[in-house]
Each structure stands twice: as C-alpha cells, then as structure tokens.
Amino acid sequence: MAKKDLRERIKEVAVEHFNNNGYHGTTIRNIAKDVNCSLPMIYYYYNNKKELFDEIIKREYFGLLKRQAALLRTNNIIDFYTKFVYDLNSLSNYDKKVYRLGIKVYLSFDGDEELMEIMDEWEKTILPRHYQILKPYLKNADNDIAIVRTLVHLLETLIESIVVKNRFLPEEEIREEISIVLREC
Amino acid sequence: MAKKDLRERIKEVAVEHFNNNGYHGTTIRNIAKDVNCSLPMIYYYYNNKKELFDEIIKREYFGLLKRQAALLRTNNIIDFYTKFVYDLNSLSNYDKKVYRLGIKVYLSFDGDEELMEIMDEWEKTILPRHYQILKPYLKNADNDIAIVRTLVHLLETLIESIVVKNRFLPEEEIREEISIVLREC
DNA sequence: CTCTATACTTAACGTTCGTTAGAATTATAC
DNA sequence: GTATAATTCTAACGAACGTTAAGTATAGAG
C-alpha cells in the first residue's frame, strides 16, 4: 500500500464515520477496521482524532465550498442559481458527505469553537457575494437586500435537502422556487 | 426533593448536555453532576441513556411542534406567518434547546432509525398542512404548490436561524422575506 | 549485501464509559 | 412505633475508549 493511498483512504472512511456517528460516536478502532489497517496507522498519519476531523473540515469542506463559489455564471440569473443547486445532486458521495459534515459544524452540531469561528468568517462573505452576483438584475427597489437575503435563505434549505437529507431535487422544482423569489428580476 | 422535581430536572439538564455535546458526547456522570444528584438516580427514573434521549424527542420536541401547529390564524396571512416565526425568538431557553435537538434528529445528525421514521411521518404532514392554511389566499395559478413549497423551505431556514444558530430575527426582516414569497397573495 | 528510513504490527497503558448490586436513608401507612 | 415502600447512596463491574511504547517487516540507496 503506497503512503498516499492509505492516508487518503483513512480520511475517506473517517468522513463516513463522522457523518454517521458524529465526532464522539466515531472511534479510531472502527475507522481502522473499515480501512483494513491496524489501529496505530491512524496515528502514523494523523496526530490524533481531532486533527483528522479538522483536516476534513478545513481542507475538504472549505475546498468544496470554494470550488462551488467559483462557478461560472450564465447570462440568465435564474438559470445560474438553478444549475448551482441542481448540480449538487450529482456531487460524488464523498463530496456530499464532506458537505454534510461541514453543515453539521456550521450549525454547531459538531466540531469545536475554533472551527465555529472559521464558519462565522465564511458566513459573513455569503450575503455580499450573492449581492454582487444579483446586483445587475435588481431593480433598485427598497427591498433589494431583502430579496438577496430571501434567496440565500432559500438556497440554504435546498442545499440541505440535497446534501443533508440526501434527497434528489428535480431541476424543475428548484427553478420554480428560485423563480418565485426572483420573479421581479 | 420530590419525585417529580428530580425527574424533571434530570430531563432539563439532559437537554442541555445532548444539545451541547450530542448523544455520544453526553455522559450520565456529567448530567448527574449538574443535577447535583448521584449517578444511579438517573437510572432510577430512566431505564437507560437512550430512553432519556427518546423521551426528550418524543414528548418534549413533538409536544412543542404540536403546540406550534395549533396556533391561531389572523386574518392576514403574512401577519400570521410573520408572527409564527417571530414568536420563536421568545421561546424559553429550554424549549429552544428541545427544538434544536429535534432539528438535529430531523437532519439525522443524532438519534437512531426509529426516531428518524417518526420524523419522516411528521414531515409528510407539513406541506399539506400549510397548503390548507394558504389555500384561501392562493390565486389558483399553476405555481400554487410551488409557492407553498417555497414558503415552507423559507420557514425552515428562518426557524433554524433562530433556534439552531440562536440568532434574534427582527420582525421586519421576517415579514420582508415572507412577503417576497407571498407577494402575489 | 548492508544500512537506513519508511511503513506497519502486537500489545498494552491509563481513563472513562454505561450500567448495576446492594445497602442506607427517608417517607408513608397502619 | 413498627412495618413497608419509595428514594438515594457508595462502590464497583466489565467493556470500550484515545493513545503510545516498542518492536517487526519492507524497500530503496550505496
């Protein structure tokens, strides 16, 4: 087994376990069993349980978020957001689980205060980012900011449905809901 | 200490602990310490850890949901939903924590399959219930159902903000967002 | 072939967990 | 006041946890 392989496989199995059983419900022994390696090998690649968890959130989850945020825009704003959400359906199982784990930390259902601070920092960027995206389409009405806020709130639930509840959302349903919020754009 | 008192206090402290540390992160010893009673007293009133957790979800959380669902309606539908969400701000700390714990189980971040089934059953009733409430205000357009779905999705995020993230949402912000979704009603 | 760094193992450490046995205390009934 | 039932305690059980010590295999370099 090459070095990189095993380290990566440990992380993959860890994502699965942290997802299913939470941080405290996950044991290094069970991870080792599923990876089919001895228990101390986990400690060979990761200093301790928390470091393994942190790497998943800090590297995998935020890597995923940044890839998502960098998506190209189409001309039609409703098309863009529909695609943005719809494409989550076809995320790999691994990425979905990483995403789910990140949301768990985001809702402070898992993780610690340090991770929560990173989440809070990220959260502050969400509204401004979407405001920039939507700006050209807004009608300069006094409820512009409210529209952006409503859309972001709606997106949050749609993402949760797909990623956390593991449901498939049809493109048409996503488009309908986004259109309702953005119907004046 | 009267019987009822202690049993109730154990449940209150348990809500706190399950909320902060999850099911597996919570220990009977720590609950007993905070309640200021001996460890086996927990087992005197509850057969085991899982039964204590289950009672919180099955009785406290669903009790709360049913009280919420039974709320009276006003004449104005936007007023109704605004109040519905806004009033969550002033839920007691205990009720907020019970709610938060329920959402955690709802998102299958905690609990087991049996509790998830109960959640699924409840979830099926949500859309029809709100459709009944909104029916008189809908314009019989072909996106009626989509509007109800969008509203329910928006409500979900707003509730999460208040209860899970423990934020205060001003009445005006809530009204704005609900109005955007229901602007044709 | 030997040396050395890397990859991996077995076995155990000390701690904490959920849970219970069994006795002590307190309240209630007659 | 004594018998009985309801509370509460101290102490401990076995099991599982995170982590580590100390050694064995393996593979590439000289």
Side-chain angles (χ1 to χ4, degrees), chain B residues 63-97:
Chain B
L64 189 55
L65 283 192
K66 275 159 195 161
R67 264 179 282 147
Q68 282 277 310
L71 280 182
L72 285 177
R73 266 169 272 163
T74 69
N75 285 335
N76 184 317
I77 193 68
I78 290 176
D79 281 347
F80 164 63
Y81 277 110
T82 302
K83 186 173 158 50
F84 179 84
V85 174
Y86 181 71
D87 282 354
L88 293 175
N89 280 310
S90 45
L91 230 45
S92 75
N93 272 333
Y94 178 72
D95 278 348
K96 263 190 204 165
K97 276 167 188 165

Side-chain angles (χ1 to χ4, degrees), chain A:
Chain A
M1 196 76 57
K3 172 171 174 159
K4 259 290 173 52
D5 271 11
L6 184 54
R7 194 179 195 282
E8 223 51 28
R9 275 204 359 215
I10 289 172
K11 188 154 63 181
E12 275 170 37
V13 172
V15 166
E16 183 97 19
H17 281 237
F18 284 133
N19 238 308
N20 292 340
N21 312 110
Y23 180 81
H24 288 106
T26 294
T27 73
I28 309 284
R29 277 170 176 81
N30 285 338
I31 294 176
K33 193 188 289 174
D34 276 10
V35 174
N36 239 315
C37 71
S38 73
L39 192 156
M41 281 312 294
I42 317 267
Y43 289 92
Y44 187 72
Y45 291 112
Y46 301 92
N47 278 322
N48 48 50
K49 188 180 175 182
K50 186 173 160 6
E51 193 182 284
L52 176 54
F53 186 80
D54 280 11
E55 175 158 327
I56 290 167
I57 298 298
K58 288 182 185 168
R59 288 252 271 272
E60 305 291 308
Y61 175 64
F62 278 103
L64 189 55
L65 283 192
K66 275 158 196 163
R67 264 179 281 149
Q68 282 277 310
L71 280 182
L72 286 177
R73 265 170 272 162
T74 70
N75 286 334
N76 184 316
I77 193 67
I78 290 175
D79 280 348
F80 164 63
Y81 276 110
T82 302
K83 185 173 160 50
F84 179 84
V85 174
Y86 181 70
D87 283 354
L88 293 175
N89 279 311
S90 44
L91 231 44
S92 75
N93 273 334
Y94 177 72
D95 278 348
K96 263 191 204 166
K97 276 166 189 167
V98 168
Y99 212 138
R100 199 180 115 96
L101 206 51
I103 292 180
K104 201 167 174 178
V105 176
Y106 172 63
L107 297 175
S108 65
F109 282 145
D110 224 327
D112 54 9
E113 286 191 10
E114 185 216 342
L115 289 180
M116 266 310 293
E117 269 178 38
I118 303 179
M119 291 288 171
D120 284 343
E121 285 307 308
W122 173 266
E123 198 188 4
K124 282 178 198 155
T125 72
I126 297 178
L127 263 178
R129 190 151 30 83
H130 286 280
Y131 183 70
Q132 286 304 318
I133 294 175
L134 283 164
K135 208 174 181 179
Y137 304 91
L138 294 168
K139 307 208 155 169
N140 263 323
D142 42 355
N143 70 341
D144 273 2
I145 302 152
I147 289 181
V148 179
R149 201 165 8 93
T150 309
L151 180 71
V152 168
H153 281 162
L154 178 63
L155 291 178
E156 238 177 77
T157 327
L158 295 177
I159 292 170
E160 263 183 37
S161 279
I162 295 174
V163 170
V164 177
K165 298 187 204 150
N166 205 25
R167 309 238 166 99
F168 175 83
L169 286 196
E171 188 172 356
E172 196 45 37
E173 283 188 21
I174 299 167
R175 183 182 306 275
E176 277 177 336
E177 301 197 21
I178 290 172
S179 301
I180 285 169
V181 173
L182 296 183
R183 73 191 126 194
E184 274 163 17
C185 294

Side-chain angles (χ1 to χ4, degrees), chain B residues 57-66 118-119 122:
Chain B
I57 298 299
K58 289 182 184 168
R59 290 252 270 271
E60 305 291 308
Y61 174 65
F62 278 102
L64 189 55
L65 283 192
K66 275 159 195 161
I118 303 179
M119 291 288 171
W122 173 267

